[in-house]
Amino acid sequence: MLDISNNSVKNDIELSQFKSYQIILKCQVKQAPIYVMLGCFVVLLIGLFLPWTQNISTKGYVTTRQPEQHPQAIQSVISGRIEEWFVREGDFVNQGDTILHISEVKAEYFDPNLIANTTEQLEAKNQSRTSYDSKIEALKKQYRALDEGLALKRQQTLQKLAQERNKSSMDSIDLEVFRNNLAIAVNQYSRTKELYDKGLKTLSELQEKQYKKQEAEAKVSVQQNKWINQQNTVGILTIELLAIEQEYTDKLAKSQSDLQSAISAKMENEATIAKLKSTISNYSMRQQYYYLTAPQSGYVTKILRKGIGETIKEGSDIAIIVPDNYDLAVEVYLKPNDLPLLHVGNSARLRFDGWPAIVISGWPQSSTGVFNGTIVAIDQYISDNGHYRVLISPEVADRPWPEQLRVGAGTEAFLLLNKVPVWYELWRQLNGFPPDFYQSGVDKEEVKLKAPIKSIK
């Protein structure tokens, strides 16, 4: 029917009674799924050519990049006994607030007047230093006096020795004179005796010459003994000079030894004074460690040592404090195969535990509830779990991460790579190939692709 009239026969005629109508109706019903399938195929075909962002999916947790912003253990520098707590778990403390009071457990520090007693020892050593100074000055004067006495005694002995040598020289000259006189007297006696034997000289003249000869002999003998005695005196003075040198050398050496001993004792006293000063300073510093204070502002999250009277060792953890101000980052681990695909500056999409999100990894711009990040560090060595650690920080130009986010929260990260068609990504996933990666500034067409090496059976 052409349906060109206002009068309708639909109400008067039952079309289903006609076979032709039933055949046409069946043909139309069978063609509808074909059109639907054809439309779906067209849509799917178009979807296969849509761009898809390749990515690496991994899990991690929230952390911080700054070392001082990590949860920190409060430790005691000295051993002690817990006397009083000033905080509870969950309390907020400012930097320098007192957390714990401890007392001594070592016997050498039990004296309540330890610093005062050590200060008295220091004062006594300071007074003894004055005594050592006086002793050293007296020994120096003694040494100078001995040195001057040696010089004076040496000069005196040398002068006396020179005087005795002059006397010995004069006695030697007189001895020669007396010997000459003796020779003359002997000669005269001989000639007088010859003349006496000839009768030319009288006996008295001969006896007179004989007397003069004997007198000359006696003078020679006396002068020779005198000269010998003078020589002995010179020798005695020479020996005495050597004895003086030896005596004063011993005295000077002893005085120098005493002086060096006094100087050494003074140096030991100075070392003791310095040690006492260091000890007093250590005692004062140790008393400051009786009160443990917060190294930075934050929350006391966990107390590891509980109760009163418990003994703690130096360097042991007492409580955990978490800073109140920190710069968040995400720490994830990648397989070694994925590491060459990434470099510092790559973008990432993050989904945090507790924040609802709809993630479409291949179309990050269509995802909701996710946050953007940038890779800021990649470890150069492998971790104990066989993966490489990667740090991701928030993007400055993007919206900030949630304020309620805490360190340790779980995170799912999608590290974005290059864009490819959907059909290519499906083909890559089915074949298990790694994602494509091209460095910036390199065109895909310029990259020479090589056929994979066939395995040899």
Side-chain angles (χ1 to χ4, degrees), residues 179-190 209-210 212-217:
R179 285 175 177 175
N180 292 332
N181 292 336
L182 176 60
I184 294 172
V186 170
N187 189 16
Q188 289 179 354
Y189 173 75
S190 299
K209 296 299 183 181
Q210 187 179 4
K212 289 183 178 180
K213 181 174 76 76
Q214 292 176 350
E215 184 180 7
E217 289 176 351

Side-chain angles (χ1 to χ4, degrees), residues 253-270:
K254 186 176 183 303
S255 178
Q256 185 68 20
S257 177
D258 294 340
L259 177 61
Q260 294 300 324
S261 298
I263 294 176
S264 177
K266 181 186 177 182
M267 293 297 102
E268 292 179 358
N269 186 70
E270 293 289 342

Side-chain angles (χ1 to χ4, degrees), residues 90-106:
D91 287 350
F92 176 80
V93 293
N94 293 314
Q95 184 177 4
D97 287 350
T98 304
I99 295 177
L100 177 66
H101 175 219
I102 63 175
S103 59
E104 282 292 352
V105 293
K106 293 186 177 180

